[in-house]
Amino acid sequence: GLQAHVAMVLNSPGRVLDKLGGQARLEEAEELYRESLRILQKEGDRRGVAMVLNSLGLVLDKLGGRARLEEAEELYRESLRIGEDLGMHRHVAMVSSSLASLAENQGDIDHAIRYLEKMVDSNRALGLDSFVAQGEQRIRRLRSRRSS
């Protein structure tokens, strides 16, 4: 309905601010994503919720700091669960990649590899061979780091 449209309108400037970067713009993007998320949750738009959870996670990931990174991980995981429930393969691949990067940056190579394997499976289901190859390359790189 109208509320879902409003939520997506709020989401658009959030994406622009996110791309522009800088602390103040990222914080403004965070506010817009949170408002969009509230509306989409109220409307029951699970697909929209999944997408905004991922976007908000990306912003928190960029802003950094322990609490924000922990929240980003929670948001990514919820986004991933919804995406899997709804069969959103492209979304699952994208969020899995974000979770893999977050795990890798925290030194958790095993989880990073597991998320990359999920990303590869989703991209394979979509027939996106170049993304499958990139994911497999990232997995090989992480496995070699783990064994050295």
Side-chain angles (χ1 to χ4, degrees), residues 20-75:
L20 290 172
Q23 184 81 16
R25 288 187 172 126
L26 288 171
E27 288 172 354
E28 194 175 342
E30 177 187 355
E31 288 177 35
L32 291 171
Y33 285 143
R34 287 188 190 282
E35 180 62 25
S36 180
L37 184 60
R38 277 190 289 277
I39 293 168
L40 290 166
Q41 287 170 328
K42 186 175 149 195
E43 288 290 308
D45 181 347
R46 294 183 73 219
R47 182 175 295 273
V49 166
M51 293 180 345
V52 174
L53 284 169
N54 184 58
S55 296
L56 180 55
L58 289 167
V59 167
L60 294 174
D61 200 343
K62 287 178 186 175
L63 284 167
R66 177 183 223 106
R68 284 183 173 131
L69 291 176
E70 287 174 5
E71 185 181 1
E73 184 175 1
E74 289 173 26
L75 295 173

Side-chain angles (χ1 to χ4, degrees), residues 15-136:
R15 283 205 307 270
V16 171
L17 290 165
D18 178 6
K19 298 285 183 256
L20 290 172
Q23 184 81 16
R25 288 187 172 126
L26 288 171
E27 288 172 354
E28 194 175 342
E30 177 187 355
E31 288 177 35
L32 291 171
Y33 285 143
R34 287 188 190 282
E35 180 62 25
S36 180
L37 184 60
R38 277 190 289 277
I39 293 168
L40 290 166
Q41 287 170 328
K42 186 175 149 195
E43 288 290 308
D45 181 347
R46 294 183 73 219
R47 182 175 295 273
V49 166
M51 293 180 345
V52 174
L53 284 169
N54 184 58
S55 296
L56 180 55
L58 289 167
V59 167
L60 294 174
D61 200 343
K62 287 178 186 175
L63 284 167
R66 177 183 223 106
R68 284 183 173 131
L69 291 176
E70 287 174 5
E71 185 181 1
E73 184 175 1
E74 289 173 26
L75 295 173
Y76 286 149
R77 286 180 189 222
E78 180 63 19
S79 181
L80 182 63
R81 273 192 295 278
I82 295 169
E84 288 173 334
D85 286 350
L86 298 178
M88 300 167 63
H89 294 292
R90 188 173 307 251
H91 183 79
V92 167
M94 187 173 51
V95 178
S96 295
S97 179
S98 296
L99 278 161
S101 296
L102 192 62
E104 181 182 0
N105 291 339
Q106 294 174 345
D108 188 349
I109 303 304
D110 291 335
H111 275 105
I113 289 171
R114 272 197 291 266
Y115 285 121
L116 287 172
E117 288 169 342
K118 186 181 290 277
M119 181 194 80
V120 165
D121 290 344
S122 293
N123 281 322
R124 188 172 284 122
L126 292 164
L128 299 173
D129 296 337
S130 65
F131 290 116
V132 168
Q134 288 173 9
E136 289 173 340

